[in-house]
Amino acid sequence: MPVPHPAPRWAAPAFSLPGKQACGTLPRTIRLLFSIVFWSFFVLSSLGFYLGALVLWVMTLPFDRNGRILHLYSCFWAQLYIYANPLWSCRVEGREHLPWRGAAVLVANHESLGDILVLFGLYRPFKWVSKAANFRLPFIGWNMTLNRYVPLVRGDRESVGRMMVECEKWLLRGVPILMFPEGTRSPDGHIKAFKEGAFHLAVKLQCPVIPVVLTGTARTLPKHGLKLQTRARCHVRVLPPVKPADHGNSVPELLEHVRTLMIEEKARMDAAQLGTPR
């Protein structure tokens, strides 16, 4: 287990401060009505999209063994809830750093469940590493199984071992993976200590680590309950790939370098949302 590192002095402020200024809170009645409409649309559309995913899976399996087409379909499915939501917006920068083919370990900070919808907006092939419980969700979880994303039970050493083996198999097939190295959602918007798994994979297979920095997603989906709270302006920035060899193939050095890059970039992105100088 990595030793937690304290956030540097230039770390981004807790998300509660930018949230109050960058995202307006809706009146209670409007929030309730909008939440009912949103979740009704979510459930009904998920049924239709899952049936479409089944058909697409059957049609593409003979020639698309890595499931790239089904994954891109899933990207559109997830992004639909941002496109159709007048309270949410999302801007993605740096897609040019992401491969269409070839092994890479994508690592992203984790603020909320909304991160998943937002990161599908990368529109590039990759396999998610996600909590095993998510795979049991109707329609959404079943689609994750069709996509052969990688399940993980947090705190279970056997599950972690199976996850690492499965990720290695995908990387050897030239399919990127995406992990949240913090292991869980940040409660305050600060990037927490990273676990080493993603960086062990990158060093072992000599593939690049690609940092992906999110901000604004903490205001999308609530951690507890179903009532949507605020407007959200989400921003994703993909940073240039980082090669393990440039850091002596040292897992701790690679981890610390990537984490520092992400903290610095998130501070700049948060400052930009607040309209303050960098």
Side-chain angles (χ1 to χ4, degrees):
M1 294 293 292
V3 177
H5 302 279
R9 288 178 298 172
W10 29 256
F15 70 74
S16 57
L17 179 58
K20 289 178 181 177
Q21 298 183 36
C23 303
T25 301
L26 298 174
R28 183 179 302 176
T29 303
I30 295 178
R31 292 205 313 268
L32 177 60
L33 291 174
F34 187 82
S35 298
I36 292 172
V37 172
F38 175 84
W39 289 114
S40 298
F41 174 65
F42 185 91
V43 171
L44 292 174
S45 61
S46 292
L47 170 59
F49 272 104
Y50 176 67
L51 294 176
L54 278 174
V55 173
L56 189 63
W57 176 73
V58 171
M59 292 176 60
T60 59
L61 189 60
F63 62 89
D64 185 19
R65 304 298 293 181
N66 291 329
R68 287 184 170 88
I69 296 174
L70 180 60
H71 173 79
L72 292 174
Y73 172 88
S74 301
C75 289
F76 176 77
W77 176 357
Q79 285 286 284
L80 176 67
Y81 303 114
I82 294 177
Y83 300 150
N85 190 333
L87 299 182
W88 296 350
S89 64
C90 181
R91 179 159 57 104
V92 179
E93 298 177 313
R95 283 193 184 96
E96 66 273 12
H97 299 307
L98 297 170
W100 280 102
R101 295 182 183 275
V105 178
L106 283 59
V107 293
N109 60 301
H110 197 11
E111 291 190 349
S112 80
L113 269 175
D115 297 344
I116 297 170
L117 300 181
V118 167
L119 286 170
F120 269 119
L122 295 173
Y123 280 108
R124 291 295 187 276
F126 60 82
K127 298 297 181 184
W128 284 98
V129 175
S130 181
K131 287 192 304 183
N134 291 337
F135 288 76
R136 296 192 291 271
L137 295 172
F139 311 134
I140 303 293
W142 303 340
N143 182 60
M144 293 172 69
T145 300
L146 288 181
N147 273 281
R148 289 170 290 167
Y149 296 150
V150 183
L152 170 67
V153 178
R154 286 204 305 262
D156 184 320
R157 295 185 64 180
E158 290 186 7
S159 177
V160 172
R162 289 193 298 269
M163 177 272 292
M164 294 290 284
V165 169
E166 193 66 20
C167 286
E168 187 172 336
K169 288 179 181 178
W170 283 118
L171 291 169
L172 288 171
R173 291 173 67 162
V175 180
I177 61 167
L178 191 152
M179 304 176 74
F180 293 119
E182 294 165 282
T184 188
R185 284 168 278 183
S186 170
D188 59 8
H190 290 306
I191 293 179
K192 301 302 181 186
F194 281 1
K195 299 182 185 299
E196 294 184 346
F199 305 93
H200 274 295
L201 287 167
V203 169
K204 182 176 182 179
L205 298 179
Q206 286 298 291
C207 61
V209 176
I210 303 180
V212 182
V213 184
L214 311 171
T215 190
T217 58
R219 295 285 176 173
T220 51
L221 298 178
K223 185 171 184 178
H224 303 291
L226 299 176
K227 188 185 295 184
L228 304 183
Q229 300 297 318
T230 61
R231 297 177 178 87
R233 292 187 323 201
C234 306
H235 188 185
V236 181
R237 183 170 291 159
V238 183
L239 305 184
V242 179
K243 297 179 180 178
D246 292 344
H247 300 276
N249 290 316
S250 166
V251 169
E253 288 185 20
L254 179 63
L255 180 155
E256 187 58 32
H257 175 74
V258 169
R259 182 173 179 269
T260 299
L261 287 176
M262 294 176 67
I263 290 173
E264 291 177 335
E265 195 62 41
K266 189 173 188 303
R268 285 190 284 266
M269 292 164 67
D270 285 337
Q273 279 208 350
L274 282 167
T276 57
R278 294 183 180 184

